[in-house]
């Protein structure tokens, strides 16, 4: 890595007078400063290399290890089973697509590996869960509402049901596969002792509602919110 001439000149001025104009002395300083500069540049690059929005691959794995997140999410995805159209197996698959059910060892779920985008979401979820306060509104700490909006890219908000339960309302554009994974690993922030009663998908436009909501559509035109069975 090339060393800035001004950087070398500043240190050259610190030489005692008898060596101040000696090429070898100045060259020695430049050689030593190159090593120091390379080390500084390497350390300085950490802020970019390990920035959660920019990191990828192995760097994300390192960040995940620091906060306690692995790329392998075990027993998170419901298995698709082989079956016939007789109603016994829900959404049956063909022999080449579906798994065979094992009565004694089958837990009904399979593991998956997170891609980089999912890994970032999981890391954010773990951080959000660790730092969020138990209140929807709080002037001193990061609130639960802020954590939920941060985690779901401003596509969700949380409502207190006043019965030790919460409900999350999600924009229909949000990737529901991520929600299923986060929920399976208990990574969605919430106060201790409080549960999530449900997750509801809502639509920004053409949503059915009543007259007190000026943005709502009538029964024949509006879409109904959907309660997710997870």
């Amino acid at each position: 890595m090339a060393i800035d001439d001004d950087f070398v000149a500043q240190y050259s001025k610190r030489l005692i007078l008898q060596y101040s104009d000696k090429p070898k002395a100045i060259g020695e300083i430049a050689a030593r400063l190159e090593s120091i500069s390379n080390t500084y540049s390497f350390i300085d690059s950490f802020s970019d290399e390990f920035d959660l929005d920019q990191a990828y691959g192995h760097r994300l794995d390192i960040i995940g290890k620091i906060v306690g997140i692995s790329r392998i999410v075990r027993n998170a995805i419901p298995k698709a089973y082989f079956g016939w159209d007789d109603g016994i197996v829900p959404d049956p698959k063909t022999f080449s697509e579906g798994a065979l059910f094992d009565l004694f060892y089958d837990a009904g779920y399979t593991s998956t590996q997170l891609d980089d985008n999912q890994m970032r979401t999981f890391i954010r979820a773990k951080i959000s869960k660790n730092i969020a306060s138990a209140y929807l509104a709080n002037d001193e700490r990061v609130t639960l509402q802020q954590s939920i909006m941060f985690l779901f890219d401003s596509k969700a908000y949380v409502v207190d049901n006043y019965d030790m339960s919460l409900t999350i309302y999600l924009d229909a554009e949000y990737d529901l596969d991520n929600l299923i994974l986060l929920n399976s690993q208990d990574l969605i922030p919430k106060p201790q002792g409080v549960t999530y009663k449900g997750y509801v998908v809502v639509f920004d436009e053409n949503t059915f509602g009543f007259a007190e909501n000026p943005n709502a559509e009538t029964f024949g035109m509006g879409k109904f919110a959907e309660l997710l069975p997870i």
Side-chain angles (χ1 to χ4, degrees):
M1 176 179 177
I3 302 297
D4 187 273
D5 290 339
D6 290 337
F7 190 43
V8 175
Q10 290 177 26
Y11 278 87
S12 299
K13 291 177 182 179
R14 297 178 180 272
L15 286 169
I16 60 176
L17 186 60
Q18 68 187 86
Y19 295 112
S20 62
D21 60 347
K22 302 297 183 181
K24 289 185 178 180
I26 297 174
E28 176 72 13
I29 288 178
R32 291 179 179 271
L33 289 180
E34 182 172 6
S35 176
I36 295 172
S37 180
N38 288 340
T39 302
Y40 173 80
S41 297
F42 175 69
I43 296 174
D44 188 53
S45 69
F46 281 17
S47 59
D48 291 330
E49 296 291 339
F50 290 94
D51 180 278
L52 186 55
D53 292 323
Q54 301 183 51
Y56 60 91
H58 182 59
R59 296 179 181 86
L60 277 177
D61 294 339
I62 294 174
I63 299 174
K65 187 174 182 179
I66 292 172
V67 302
I69 292 295
S70 170
R71 276 194 189 267
I72 304 299
V73 182
R74 303 192 182 283
N75 300 322
I77 305 297
K79 283 186 176 179
Y81 289 104
F82 164 77
W84 287 270
D85 293 327
D86 52 11
I88 298 178
V89 177
D91 191 22
K93 303 298 181 182
T94 63
F95 187 79
S96 60
E97 296 177 337
L100 297 176
F101 181 76
D102 188 316
L103 179 62
F104 298 101
Y105 299 103
D106 205 321
Y109 293 86
T110 186
S111 300
T112 186
Q113 180 169 318
L114 303 177
D115 59 29
D116 282 355
N117 287 331
Q118 290 173 319
M119 189 69 173
R120 291 187 188 95
T121 299
F122 264 57
I123 291 172
R124 286 193 181 97
K126 186 62 177 288
I127 294 172
S128 296
K129 189 170 184 179
N130 287 343
I131 68 173
S133 73
Y135 303 97
L136 294 184
N138 191 323
D139 293 333
E140 299 179 356
R141 294 181 55 191
V142 176
T143 66
L144 180 62
Q145 191 72 266
Q146 290 172 324
S147 294
I148 293 297
M149 293 185 70
F150 170 72
L151 176 58
F152 291 99
D153 298 325
S154 298
K155 291 183 173 64
Y157 62 92
V158 60
V159 172
D160 189 348
N161 300 314
Y162 297 102
D163 59 358
M164 295 299 288
S165 74
L166 302 168
T167 298
I168 285 183
Y169 291 84
L170 282 157
D171 191 296
E173 294 181 356
Y174 187 77
D175 186 351
L176 298 183
D177 288 340
N178 278 344
L179 174 64
I180 293 172
L181 288 174
L182 291 168
N183 184 69
S184 72
Q185 303 303 301
D186 191 26
L187 283 175
I188 300 177
K190 62 181 178 63
Q192 187 173 3
V194 175
T195 61
Y196 278 107
K197 179 176 287 186
Y199 303 93
V200 180
V201 175
V202 296
F203 302 87
D204 284 342
E205 299 178 356
N206 301 325
T207 303
F208 168 77
F210 299 95
E212 55 265 26
N213 183 354
N215 297 317
E217 297 288 352
T218 62
F219 185 81
M221 301 176 62
K223 298 179 180 178
F224 285 98
E226 300 174 8
L227 179 63
L228 299 177
I230 64 173

